[in-house]
Amino acid sequence: MQRPSGRAPNQLRDIKITRNFTCHAEGSVLVDFGATRVICTASVEAGVPRFLRGSGSGWVTAEYGMLPRSTGSRMGREAARGKQGGRTVEIQRLIGRSLRAAIDLKKLGEHTITIDCDVIQADGGTRTAAITGACVALVDALNYLQRKKLIVQDPLRQLIGSVSVGVYQGVPVLDLDYPEDSSADTDMNVVMGEDGGLIEVQGTAEGAPFQREELNAMLDLAAAGVSELIGLQKQALAEG
Amino acid sequence: MQRPSGRAPNQLRDIKITRNFTCHAEGSVLVDFGATRVICTASVEAGVPRFLRGSGSGWVTAEYGMLPRSTGSRMGREAARGKQGGRTVEIQRLIGRSLRAAIDLKKLGEHTITIDCDVIQADGGTRTAAITGACVALVDALNYLQRKKLIVQDPLRQLIGSVSVGVYQGVPVLDLDYPEDSSADTDMNVVMGEDGGLIEVQGTAEGAPFQREELNAMLDLAAAGVSELIGLQKQALAEG
Amino acid sequence: MQRPSGRAPNQLRDIKITRNFTCHAEGSVLVDFGATRVICTASVEAGVPRFLRGSGSGWVTAEYGMLPRSTGSRMGREAARGKQGGRTVEIQRLIGRSLRAAIDLKKLGEHTITIDCDVIQADGGTRTAAITGACVALVDALNYLQRKKLIVQDPLRQLIGSVSVGVYQGVPVLDLDYPEDSSADTDMNVVMGEDGGLIEVQGTAEGAPFQREELNAMLDLAAAGVSELIGLQKQALAEG
Amino acid sequence: MQRPSGRAPNQLRDIKITRNFTCHAEGSVLVDFGATRVICTASVEAGVPRFLRGSGSGWVTAEYGMLPRSTGSRMGREAARGKQGGRTVEIQRLIGRSLRAAIDLKKLGEHTITIDCDVIQADGGTRTAAITGACVALVDALNYLQRKKLIVQDPLRQLIGSVSVGVYQGVPVLDLDYPEDSSADTDMNVVMGEDGGLIEVQGTAEGAPFQREELNAMLDLAAAGVSELIGLQKQALAEG
Amino acid sequence: MQRPSGRAPNQLRDIKITRNFTCHAEGSVLVDFGATRVICTASVEAGVPRFLRGSGSGWVTAEYGMLPRSTGSRMGREAARGKQGGRTVEIQRLIGRSLRAAIDLKKLGEHTITIDCDVIQADGGTRTAAITGACVALVDALNYLQRKKLIVQDPLRQLIGSVSVGVYQGVPVLDLDYPEDSSADTDMNVVMGEDGGLIEVQGTAEGAPFQREELNAMLDLAAAGVSELIGLQKQALAEG
Amino acid sequence: MQRPSGRAPNQLRDIKITRNFTCHAEGSVLVDFGATRVICTASVEAGVPRFLRGSGSGWVTAEYGMLPRSTGSRMGREAARGKQGGRTVEIQRLIGRSLRAAIDLKKLGEHTITIDCDVIQADGGTRTAAITGACVALVDALNYLQRKKLIVQDPLRQLIGSVSVGVYQGVPVLDLDYPEDSSADTDMNVVMGEDGGLIEVQGTAEGAPFQREELNAMLDLAAAGVSELIGLQKQALAEG
C-alpha cells in the first residue's frame, strides 16, 4: 500500500500552528494540517446562556464554517441559503463538546467563550484540525482572562488534540487527506487529552463493517498522533 | 452500584417490536426500549436524489423527530420554530448512514426509501431504539418491493441493531435509560451488524476522559446487547 | 346511495378514546375516529403570553401536525421544510379557538395549556378527531391543576366535541372518511358544546354552492353526532 | 341596541367599487366597505402549477396582506419577519377557494390568475371586502383574456359576494365594523353566489355558543347583504 | 434627443402630494411622481431600539415594499417568499438614513418613528418618490408629537427631497421614468436638503463609466429638481 | 488636523495584493488595505442564471461575508442567524455591479464567475478593498478560461479599483481606516476604471450635509488613489 501523499501510515501531515493570526480576537490561530487550513478564533464575552445564569459557571461553544471556495468546487454560502447544513451542525457540536471537556467551566466564571472555526482551504480532516487549533486559541483566551484579572484560577484541565484515522486499502493510517478520506473503508475521528484519555471517538464504516482489531489499531495510531499534536501545541504556546 | 431501574449491568430494557403499526407505510414499526417508544416508518418512492440519477443505485435516508411532549417538559415544535435543531440533524444523519450500511444500494435499483423515526415517548436511547426499529421497517419495505416485483434481488446484507452503553457510577452498563443517561460519565452509541462488525461507534466523555479498558468493556456489552436485539428483530420478522 | 364504508348516513365511525396514552403529559389521549388516529397531549406551563401578563387570566393554545407517513403517500416533514403549511396553520387555529370556548380562562389563572395534536394515521376528519380528543386531554390537565392545588375552581364550562358532515352523492352524511371527503360536494366541520350550542361552523362548497336546506340537514346530523361523541368523552373520563 | 355607526341592523356600510385603480394589472379594483379599503388586483399568467400541467384546466389563487399601518397600531411587516402569520394564511386560502367557486376552471385553459388583496386601511371585514372586490377584478381579467382571444368561452359561472354578520349586543347585524367586530358575541363570514347558494360559511362563537335561530337570522341578513353587494358589482362592471 | 414622455431634460413629472391618505397613521401621504405612486406612512411609538435605550435620543427607521402587481409583470410577494430581496433592503436603508439626516434625533426624545413606503404603482424613481413623500409624513408625525406635548422642541432640521437624474441618449435628464431608467447609461439618485447640501449621492454607470462633467451636469439638474420638490412639500404642508 | 494613523490626507494605507492565496479557486487573492484583510476568490462555473440562458452572454456575481470575529467585538454568524444582514446585501450587490462593469459579458460566453469576498480582519474600507482585490481574482479567472481555451477573446475591458474618501475633522482624506470612518462627517465609496471614468459613486452625509466643493475634493482624492491602486494591481498581475 502506498499513501497518495507518500507518507508512512503513522505519519502526520505537516502541521503548523500560527498564533495571533488576526488582531481583534482574544485568541486567534491559523492551523495547517497539510493543505487543510482553518482560522480558529476565541471570543470572550461577559455573561452566559440563560440555562447557566446565576450558576457561577461559564460556557464554551463553537461555530464552524467553510468559505464557499475552500473546496474543489464552490459550495453555496450557508448565509445565503439561510441555514447551516447538517454536516456543519454536527461538526460544530463536536468541537464545542470537545473543548468543554478541556476546561473546568466553574473556574471560568460567568463568561462565554465562542470558538469560530472557519476553513479557508480544505483537504480532509477539517474538524480535527479545527479542534487542535481551537484548543490553542482557547488557551490564549484563558490567558487573556487571567491577565485582565477577570478570573483568578486557570480553568485549563489539559490540552486536547484531535486527529482522524482510517483504514485505507486495508491498512490503518493516520491523518487522512482528501484523496484518502474519499476512498477509505473506515473513517474515525478521535479527540484525546494530554493524559491519553479519550474524549470523543466517532467511527463510521464507509463500506463493510470494521472489526475490533481494526478499531484497536486505529486507536493506537490516534494516540500517538494526538500526542505529537499536543507537543506542537505546547511548542506554539511557548513561543511569544 | 445499583441501577435506578434495578437492571443488571448487562441487561436490556423490555424490548417490543410491533410491526404494521400504521396502515399506509410500506414498513411501519413501533419499537419500545422500556418507556422509550418510537414509530419507525419506511416509505418507498420511485426515483433517487439528483446525485444518483442514472446510476442504477437506490438511496436510503432518514428523518427524526420528537413529539413536543414526548419528554418531561414540553419542547418547542421544530416545524413551528422553522428549523430542525442540531441534535435532530445529528441523529437523522446517523440513522441514515447506519441503514445504508445494512443494504446493497445497487440491488435497490433507483428507488428511495425514507425512514421516519418519530419519538412519541422518550426515556433515553431514542436514537438506538430508532435504528433498531427502523431496520425492521426497512426489511418490510424491501419485502414489499420484492413482492411487487419492483426489484429482483433482496438488497438486505444483514440486519443491524443499535444500543447505548455507558459508564454509570464507575460501572459499564448496557442500554441507559434517562436517569442513567443524564448522570453517566461516558455515553456511547454503537451500531453493529448481525455479523458482529462495527458500523458506528460514537463515544463521548461527559465528565472525565475515558480509558481504553472502559471502551473495551463498553464494546463487549454492546456486542452482546445488539446480538440480543437482532434476535428480537428476527422473531418479529418471523411473525406474520 | 351507499357509503363506501357501508355506514348509515347518520352513523359515526368506531370511536375510541384512550387516556394516559403517553406518560409525561398532564393530559394524553389517543383518539380513533375509525382509521384516523390522533395523539392529543395537554401540557401545563406556569405563565402566559405577553399580552395576558398581569391579567390573572390563563391561555389555551394548540399545535397540529401530521407524521410524514400518516397519509397514503409521504408528505414532506414540515420541520425539514422550515415552515408549517397553510392547512396546518388553519387547523391549529381552529383547535385552539374551540378549546378556549370550552373553559373559563379567568379560572385557569396565569397558566398556559398547550395542546399538541399529532396525527399518526389519517383517514379523513383529522381536525374533528383532534378537537374531540383534545377536549379530554384538556380536562385531564385541568384536573391535574386542581389536584396539585394550583387552581381552586374548575375552569371547565362544558365538554365540546366536533365532527364533520357533508353532502355525499346528494345525501347528507355524518363523519366523512377519506374516500367520502375527497369526493363530497360540500364539506362542513362543526364544533358544538354539551349544551347543544354552536362554537364553530365551517362549511365549504367543493363543487356547486349548497342550499339552506342542505345546511340545516347537515347541522342536524352534526348535533346528533356531537352529542354521541360527548357521551363517549364522559365515559372515557369516568374510567380511572 | 344602537350600532356604533348608527346603522340599522341590516344596513351595509357605504360600499365603493373603483375599477382600474392601478394601471398594470389585468384587473385592478379598490374596494371600500366604509373605512375598510382594499386594493384587489388580478394578474394573468400563462401556465399552471405543476399538479395541473397538461390537464387543460386553469387555476385561481389568492394572496392577502395588510400594509403595516393599515391598522390602529403598526403591525410588523410580514416580509421583514420572514413569514406570513396564521391569520393571513387562513384568509388567503378562503379568498382563493371562494373565487375558484365562481368560475369554470376548465374554460380558463392553462392560465393562472393570481389575486392580490392588499389592505391599505382596515376597519373590520377586510376579508369580505377583499372577496367582493376581487370578484370584480377577476371578471376584468377574464374579459381581458377573451378580448385578447386567449380563451374562447367566458369561464364566469356567477358573481360572488361576501359579507360578515354577527350578533352584537344580542342583535344580529350585518357588515360589522371594527368596534362591533371586537366586541361581538358571534362573528360569521359568508360567501354567496348570485344564485343565492352558499359557498363558504365560517361562524365562530367569540363568547358563548350560538344557537340555530341566531345562525338562521345571520344567514338571512347575509343573503340580503350579498344580494345588494352583487348589485353594486354589476353596476361597477356596467360602467366603462 | 426626445424624452419618451416629451418632457424637457430638466422637467419633473407631475408631482402630487396628498396628505392624510389613510386614517390611522400619525403621518400618511400618497405621493405621485407621474405614474409612480407610493403610500408613505409615519408611525410613532414610544421607546427606541436597544442600542439607544437610556440615551435620550430617538430613532427613525424605514421599511419599503412593492405591491406584487405594482409593476408590469407580477413579482412574487416578499412575505410569501419569506425574505426581503436585496434591492428592497438597499432602498429601505437609504430611506432611513436620509430621513435621519433631516431631523435632530436628540429632540425626538426616546420615540421611534417608523416610515413605511409601499409602492402601489411603479414607473421608475420609486425610491426618490418615497423619500420625498416620507419627509412630509415625517413632518406630520413630528407635529403630532408636539401637539400631544410628547416632545417640546421641533426636531426638524430641514425638509429633504430626492430625485433621480441620469444620462439618457447622451443627455443629462431629470426624474427618469421607467422607459428612460431601463435604457439610461448612467443612473443617479440624489437626496438634498432645503439648504442645498448633499445628503446622499448614489451614481451607477449602467454601461460605460461616466465622467466628472456628466456628474456635475446631473448634480445641477438634481439641485434644481429637489428645490422644486421642496417647494411642493411646503405647499402641501401649508394646506390643512 | 492629524489623522489617527499619521498618514497624509492623500495617502493610502499599506496595500498588499497576494495572488494564489488558496489553492482551489480559479482566482484567489488576499488583499490588505492596512489592517483590513479580505480573501477574494473567483470561481468559474459553466452555465448562467435562467434570465441569461441562450443569450450567449456570461454573468459575474459576488457574495460578501465577514468572519464573526473579524471585528472588535464578535458579530453573530449570518449562517447561524439564517439570513444575511442589510449591509451585507448592499455590499455584495455593489461588488457584483462594479465587476460587471469591468468586463464584456458577451465575450465571457455562457459562464458564471462568482466572486466571494470574505473579510478575515476589518479596519474600515472592507468593500473598497474587496472590489480592488476581487478585480485581480477576476482577471486570474479570465486568464484561466483563456488558457483552458474555454473562451477565445479576453473579456476584460479595463481594471477597476475602489477606495473610500471622506471628510474627517473638516479635511478631505483618502482611504479611511476604522477610527476615521466611525467619526467622519461624510463617507464616500468610489469605484473607478483604469481610464479614469466613474463606475460607482456612493456618498453619505453622516452628520451635516456636504457641499459640492467637498464632493469635488473627495473625488479628486479618489481619482489619484484608485490610479495608485490600479498600478499595484498591474504589478501583482505582472508577477508570475
Side-chain angles (χ1 to χ4, degrees):
Chain A
M1 193 275 315
Q2 171 76 18
R3 298 181 75 172
S5 59
R7 281 184 283 147
N10 66 348
Q11 192 182 344
L12 292 171
R13 290 178 280 183
D14 283 341
I15 310 294
K16 262 183 261 172
I17 297 173
T18 308
R19 283 165 65 214
N20 304 316
F21 181 65
T22 60
C23 66
H24 296 301
E26 286 73 31
S28 172
V29 164
L30 173 66
V31 64
D32 296 21
F33 274 38
T36 289
R37 314 189 75 193
V38 187
I39 303 178
C40 308
T41 62
S43 297
V44 172
E45 282 162 302
V48 283
R50 183 183 304 269
F51 70 93
L52 284 174
R53 274 183 213 152
S55 70
S57 183
W59 190 241
V60 174
T61 185
E63 291 189 359
Y64 171 93
M66 298 181 83
L67 294 200
R69 196 55 194 283
S70 56
T71 45
S73 59
R74 187 178 182 273
M75 302 177 303
R77 186 177 289 264
E78 291 187 327
R81 274 187 286 146
K83 72 186 252 197
Q84 297 181 301
R87 179 183 167 277
T88 294
V89 167
E90 200 173 281
I91 292 176
Q92 65 195 12
R93 283 165 59 88
L94 170 66
I95 300 172
R97 261 196 331 263
S98 298
L99 293 174
R100 285 193 293 278
I103 71 170
D104 181 341
L105 293 170
K106 273 287 171 196
K107 292 190 183 154
L108 184 52
E110 293 205 4
H111 296 95
T112 295
I113 301 181
T114 304
I115 306 291
D116 287 290
C117 297
D118 286 277
V119 178
I120 61 177
Q121 195 171 276
D123 185 37
T126 63
R127 78 189 73 187
T128 55
I131 293 168
T132 304
C135 182
V136 176
L138 176 63
V139 171
D140 274 333
L142 296 177
N143 288 341
Y144 164 88
L145 280 164
Q146 289 169 278
R147 220 162 49 233
K148 293 284 174 186
K149 311 277 187 222
L150 293 164
I151 57 175
V152 179
Q153 289 177 286
D154 187 354
L156 189 72
R157 284 197 169 123
Q158 61 172 334
L159 293 172
I160 64 166
S162 178
V163 75
S164 72
V165 281
V167 177
Y168 177 72
Q169 298 190 351
V171 180
V173 293
L174 179 67
D175 190 21
L176 286 71
D177 54 27
Y178 181 73
E180 290 170 331
D181 195 20
S182 51
S183 66
D185 305 318
T186 300
D187 182 22
M188 189 154 79
N189 293 294
V190 181
V191 184
M192 297 178 76
E194 213 173 331
D195 66 0
L198 293 159
I199 289 166
E200 286 276 342
V201 174
Q202 297 203 340
T204 297
E206 302 287 346
F210 55 103
Q211 306 305 319
R212 285 288 284 278
E213 309 75 63
E214 289 172 302
L215 176 71
N216 284 327
M218 289 190 285
L219 286 171
D220 289 343
L221 281 176
V226 169
S227 166
E228 209 173 321
L229 289 168
I230 289 178
L232 294 165
Q233 288 175 329
K234 285 184 176 168
Q235 208 171 299
L237 285 163
E239 287 158 14
Chain B
M1 193 276 313
Q2 171 76 18
R3 298 182 75 172
S5 58
R7 280 186 284 147
N10 66 348
Q11 191 181 346
L12 292 171
R13 289 179 280 183
D14 283 342
I15 309 294
K16 263 183 261 173
I17 297 174
T18 308
R19 283 165 66 213
N20 303 315
F21 181 65
T22 59
C23 65
H24 296 302
E26 285 74 32
S28 171
V29 165
L30 172 67
V31 64
D32 296 21
F33 273 39
T36 289
R37 313 189 76 192
V38 187
I39 302 177
C40 308
T41 62
S43 298
V44 172
E45 283 163 301
V48 284
R50 183 183 304 270
F51 70 93
L52 283 175
R53 275 182 213 152
S55 70
S57 182
W59 189 241
V60 174
T61 185
E63 291 190 359
Y64 170 93
M66 298 181 83
L67 294 202
R69 196 54 196 282
S70 56
T71 45
S73 59
R74 188 179 182 273
M75 304 177 302
R77 185 177 291 264
E78 291 186 327
R81 275 187 286 146
K83 71 186 256 197
Q84 297 181 300
R87 179 183 166 278
T88 294
V89 167
E90 201 172 282
I91 291 176
Q92 66 195 12
R93 284 165 59 88
L94 170 66
I95 300 172
R97 262 196 330 264
S98 299
L99 292 175
R100 285 192 294 277
I103 70 171
D104 182 341
L105 294 169
K106 273 289 172 196
K107 292 190 185 155
L108 184 53
E110 293 206 5
H111 297 95
T112 295
I113 300 181
T114 304
I115 307 291
D116 286 289
C117 298
D118 285 277
V119 178
I120 59 176
Q121 194 171 278
D123 184 37
T126 63
R127 78 190 73 187
T128 55
I131 293 168
T132 304
C135 182
V136 176
L138 176 62
V139 170
D140 274 333
L142 296 177
N143 288 341
Y144 164 88
L145 281 163
Q146 290 170 278
R147 221 163 47 234
K148 294 280 175 189
K149 313 276 187 220
L150 294 164
I151 57 175
V152 178
Q153 288 177 287
D154 187 355
L156 188 72
R157 283 197 169 123
Q158 60 172 333
L159 293 172
I160 64 165
S162 177
V163 75
S164 72
V165 280
V167 178
Y168 176 73
Q169 297 191 353
V171 180
V173 294
L174 179 68
D175 189 19
L176 286 71
D177 53 28
Y178 181 73
E180 289 170 334
D181 195 21
S182 51
S183 67
D185 306 319
T186 301
D187 182 21
M188 190 155 78
N189 294 294
V190 181
V191 185
M192 298 178 74
E194 212 174 331
D195 67 359
L198 293 158
I199 289 166
E200 287 277 340
V201 175
Q202 298 203 340
T204 297
E206 301 287 344
F210 54 102
Q211 306 305 319
R212 285 287 282 280
E213 307 77 60
E214 289 172 303
L215 177 69
N216 285 327
M218 289 189 286
L219 287 171
D220 290 342
L221 282 176
V226 169
S227 166
E228 210 172 321
L229 289 168
I230 290 177
L232 294 165
Q233 288 174 329
K234 285 182 176 170
Q235 208 171 300
L237 285 162
E239 288 159 14
Chain C
M1 192 275 314
Q2 171 76 18
R3 299 183 73 172
S5 60
R7 281 186 282 148
N10 66 347
Q11 191 181 346
L12 291 171
R13 289 179 279 183
D14 284 342
I15 309 294
K16 263 184 258 170
I17 297 174
T18 308
R19 283 165 66 213
N20 304 313
F21 182 66
T22 60
C23 66
H24 297 301
E26 286 74 32
S28 172
V29 165
L30 172 67
V31 64
D32 296 22
F33 273 38
T36 289
R37 315 189 75 192
V38 187
I39 302 178
C40 309
T41 62
S43 298
V44 172
E45 282 163 302
V48 284
R50 182 182 304 268
F51 70 94
L52 283 174
R53 273 181 215 155
S55 70
S57 184
W59 190 240
V60 174
T61 185
E63 292 189 358
Y64 171 92
M66 296 180 85
L67 294 201
R69 194 57 195 282
S70 56
T71 45
S73 60
R74 188 177 182 273
M75 305 177 302
R77 184 177 290 265
E78 292 186 326
R81 275 187 286 147
K83 73 186 252 197
Q84 296 181 303
R87 180 183 167 277
T88 294
V89 167
E90 202 173 278
I91 292 177
Q92 66 195 10
R93 283 165 60 87
L94 170 66
I95 300 172
R97 260 195 333 263
S98 299
L99 294 174
R100 286 192 293 277
I103 70 170
D104 181 341
L105 294 169
K106 272 290 172 195
K107 292 191 184 154
L108 184 55
E110 293 206 3
H111 297 95
T112 295
I113 300 181
T114 304
I115 306 290
D116 287 289
C117 297
D118 286 277
V119 178
I120 60 177
Q121 195 171 276
D123 185 37
T126 63
R127 79 189 73 187
T128 54
I131 292 169
T132 303
C135 182
V136 175
L138 176 62
V139 171
D140 274 333
L142 296 177
N143 289 340
Y144 164 88
L145 281 163
Q146 289 169 279
R147 220 164 47 234
K148 293 281 175 188
K149 314 274 187 222
L150 294 164
I151 58 175
V152 177
Q153 288 176 286
D154 187 355
L156 189 71
R157 283 195 170 124
Q158 61 173 334
L159 293 172
I160 64 167
S162 178
V163 75
S164 72
V165 280
V167 178
Y168 177 72
Q169 297 191 352
V171 180
V173 293
L174 179 69
D175 189 21
L176 287 69
D177 53 27
Y178 181 73
E180 290 170 332
D181 195 22
S182 51
S183 68
D185 306 319
T186 300
D187 181 23
M188 189 155 79
N189 295 294
V190 180
V191 184
M192 297 178 75
E194 213 174 330
D195 66 0
L198 292 158
I199 289 166
E200 287 276 341
V201 174
Q202 298 203 340
T204 297
E206 302 288 345
F210 55 101
Q211 307 305 319
R212 283 289 280 280
E213 309 76 62
E214 290 171 305
L215 177 70
N216 285 327
M218 288 189 286
L219 286 170
D220 290 342
L221 281 176
V226 169
S227 168
E228 209 174 321
L229 290 167
I230 290 178
L232 295 165
Q233 288 174 330
K234 284 182 177 169
Q235 208 171 299
L237 285 163
E239 288 159 13
Chain D
M1 193 276 312
Q2 172 75 20
R3 298 182 74 172
S5 59
R7 280 185 282 148
N10 66 346
Q11 191 181 344
L12 291 171
R13 289 179 280 184
D14 283 343
I15 309 294
K16 265 183 258 170
I17 296 173
T18 308
R19 282 166 65 213
N20 303 316
F21 182 66
T22 60
C23 66
H24 297 300
E26 286 73 33
S28 171
V29 165
L30 173 67
V31 64
D32 296 21
F33 272 40
T36 289
R37 315 189 75 194
V38 187
I39 303 177
C40 309
T41 62
S43 298
V44 172
E45 283 163 301
V48 283
R50 182 182 304 269
F51 70 94
L52 283 174
R53 274 181 213 154
S55 70
S57 182
W59 190 240
V60 174
T61 184
E63 291 190 358
Y64 170 93
M66 298 181 83
L67 294 201
R69 196 56 194 283
S70 56
T71 46
S73 59
R74 186 177 184 275
M75 303 176 304
R77 185 177 290 265
E78 291 185 327
R81 275 187 286 146
K83 70 187 255 194
Q84 296 182 301
R87 180 183 165 276
T88 295
V89 167
E90 201 173 281
I91 292 176
Q92 65 196 10
R93 284 165 59 88
L94 170 66
I95 301 172
R97 260 195 332 262
S98 299
L99 294 173
R100 284 192 294 275
I103 71 170
D104 181 341
L105 294 169
K106 273 287 171 197
K107 293 191 183 154
L108 184 53
E110 293 206 4
H111 296 96
T112 295
I113 300 181
T114 303
I115 306 290
D116 286 289
C117 297
D118 285 277
V119 178
I120 62 177
Q121 195 172 276
D123 185 36
T126 63
R127 78 190 73 185
T128 55
I131 292 168
T132 305
C135 182
V136 175
L138 176 63
V139 171
D140 275 332
L142 297 177
N143 288 340
Y144 165 88
L145 281 163
Q146 291 169 277
R147 221 165 47 237
K148 293 282 175 188
K149 313 276 186 221
L150 294 164
I151 57 175
V152 178
Q153 289 176 284
D154 188 356
L156 189 71
R157 285 196 167 122
Q158 61 173 334
L159 293 172
I160 65 166
S162 177
V163 75
S164 71
V165 280
V167 178
Y168 177 72
Q169 297 189 355
V171 180
V173 295
L174 179 69
D175 189 20
L176 286 71
D177 54 27
Y178 181 74
E180 289 171 332
D181 194 22
S182 52
S183 67
D185 306 318
T186 300
D187 183 20
M188 189 154 79
N189 294 295
V190 181
V191 184
M192 297 177 75
E194 215 173 331
D195 65 1
L198 293 158
I199 289 166
E200 286 276 341
V201 174
Q202 297 203 341
T204 297
E206 302 287 344
F210 54 102
Q211 306 305 319
R212 285 286 282 279
E213 309 77 61
E214 289 172 304
L215 177 70
N216 284 327
M218 289 190 286
L219 287 171
D220 290 342
L221 282 174
V226 169
S227 166
E228 211 174 319
L229 289 167
I230 289 177
L232 294 165
Q233 287 174 331
K234 285 182 175 169
Q235 208 172 296
L237 285 163
E239 287 158 14
Chain E
M1 191 277 313
Q2 172 75 19
R3 297 183 75 173
S5 60
R7 282 185 283 147
N10 67 348
Q11 191 182 345
L12 291 171
R13 289 177 280 183
D14 283 342
I15 310 294
K16 263 183 261 172
I17 297 173
T18 308
R19 283 165 65 213
N20 304 315
F21 181 65
T22 59
C23 66
H24 297 301
E26 285 74 32
S28 171
V29 165
L30 172 68
V31 65
D32 296 20
F33 274 37
T36 289
R37 315 188 75 192
V38 187
I39 302 177
C40 308
T41 62
S43 298
V44 172
E45 283 162 302
V48 284
R50 183 181 304 269
F51 71 93
L52 283 175
R53 273 181 214 154
S55 70
S57 183
W59 190 241
V60 175
T61 185
E63 291 189 358
Y64 171 93
M66 299 181 84
L67 294 201
R69 195 55 196 282
S70 57
T71 45
S73 60
R74 187 176 183 274
M75 303 177 303
R77 185 178 289 266
E78 291 185 326
R81 274 188 286 145
K83 71 186 255 195
Q84 297 181 300
R87 179 184 167 276
T88 294
V89 167
E90 200 173 281
I91 291 176
Q92 66 194 12
R93 283 165 60 88
L94 170 66
I95 300 172
R97 260 194 334 262
S98 298
L99 293 174
R100 285 191 294 276
I103 71 170
D104 182 341
L105 293 170
K106 273 288 171 198
K107 292 190 184 154
L108 183 53
E110 294 205 3
H111 296 95
T112 295
I113 300 181
T114 304
I115 306 291
D116 286 289
C117 297
D118 285 277
V119 178
I120 60 177
Q121 196 171 275
D123 185 37
T126 63
R127 79 189 73 186
T128 57
I131 292 168
T132 305
C135 183
V136 176
L138 176 62
V139 171
D140 275 332
L142 297 176
N143 288 342
Y144 164 88
L145 281 163
Q146 290 169 278
R147 220 164 47 235
K148 294 281 175 189
K149 312 275 188 221
L150 294 164
I151 58 175
V152 178
Q153 289 178 286
D154 188 355
L156 188 72
R157 283 195 168 122
Q158 62 173 334
L159 293 172
I160 64 167
S162 178
V163 75
S164 71
V165 281
V167 178
Y168 176 73
Q169 298 190 353
V171 180
V173 294
L174 180 68
D175 189 20
L176 287 70
D177 54 27
Y178 182 73
E180 291 171 333
D181 196 20
S182 50
S183 67
D185 306 319
T186 300
D187 182 22
M188 188 154 78
N189 294 294
V190 181
V191 184
M192 298 179 74
E194 214 173 331
D195 66 0
L198 293 158
I199 289 166
E200 286 277 341
V201 175
Q202 297 202 341
T204 297
E206 302 287 345
F210 55 101
Q211 305 305 319
R212 284 288 282 278
E213 309 77 61
E214 290 172 303
L215 176 70
N216 284 328
M218 288 190 286
L219 286 170
D220 289 344
L221 281 176
V226 169
S227 168
E228 209 173 321
L229 288 168
I230 289 177
L232 293 165
Q233 288 174 330
K234 285 182 175 167
Q235 208 171 298
L237 285 163
E239 288 158 14
Chain F
M1 194 276 312
Q2 172 74 19
R3 298 182 74 171
S5 60
R7 281 184 282 147
N10 66 349
Q11 192 181 344
L12 292 171
R13 290 178 280 183
D14 284 343
I15 310 293
K16 263 182 262 172
I17 296 172
T18 309
R19 282 165 66 212
N20 304 316
F21 181 65
T22 59
C23 67
H24 297 301
E26 285 75 33
S28 171
V29 164
L30 172 67
V31 64
D32 296 21
F33 273 39
T36 289
R37 316 190 75 192
V38 187
I39 303 177
C40 308
T41 62
S43 298
V44 172
E45 282 162 302
V48 284
R50 183 181 304 269
F51 70 94
L52 284 174
R53 276 182 212 154
S55 70
S57 182
W59 189 242
V60 174
T61 185
E63 291 190 358
Y64 171 92
M66 299 182 82
L67 294 200
R69 194 56 195 281
S70 56
T71 46
S73 60
R74 187 178 182 273
M75 304 177 303
R77 184 177 290 265
E78 291 186 326
R81 275 187 286 145
K83 72 186 253 196
Q84 295 181 303
R87 180 183 167 277
T88 294
V89 167
E90 201 173 280
I91 292 176
Q92 66 195 12
R93 282 165 60 88
L94 171 66
I95 299 172
R97 264 197 327 267
S98 299
L99 293 174
R100 285 191 294 275
I103 70 170
D104 182 341
L105 293 170
K106 273 288 172 197
K107 293 190 183 154
L108 184 54
E110 294 205 4
H111 296 97
T112 295
I113 300 181
T114 304
I115 306 290
D116 287 288
C117 298
D118 286 277
V119 178
I120 60 177
Q121 195 171 275
D123 185 38
T126 62
R127 77 189 75 185
T128 56
I131 293 168
T132 305
C135 183
V136 176
L138 176 63
V139 171
D140 275 332
L142 297 176
N143 289 341
Y144 164 88
L145 280 162
Q146 291 169 279
R147 219 164 46 235
K148 294 281 174 188
K149 312 276 188 222
L150 294 164
I151 57 176
V152 178
Q153 289 177 286
D154 188 355
L156 189 71
R157 283 196 168 122
Q158 61 173 335
L159 292 172
I160 65 167
S162 178
V163 75
S164 73
V165 282
V167 179
Y168 177 72
Q169 298 190 353
V171 181
V173 295
L174 179 68
D175 189 20
L176 286 71
D177 54 28
Y178 181 74
E180 290 171 332
D181 194 21
S182 51
S183 67
D185 305 319
T186 301
D187 182 22
M188 190 154 78
N189 294 294
V190 181
V191 184
M192 298 178 74
E194 213 173 331
D195 66 1
L198 292 158
I199 289 165
E200 287 276 342
V201 175
Q202 298 203 339
T204 298
E206 301 286 346
F210 56 101
Q211 305 305 318
R212 285 287 283 278
E213 310 77 63
E214 290 172 304
L215 177 70
N216 285 326
M218 289 189 287
L219 286 170
D220 289 343
L221 282 175
V226 170
S227 167
E228 208 172 322
L229 289 167
I230 289 177
L232 293 165
Q233 288 173 331
K234 285 182 176 169
Q235 209 171 298
L237 285 163
E239 287 158 14

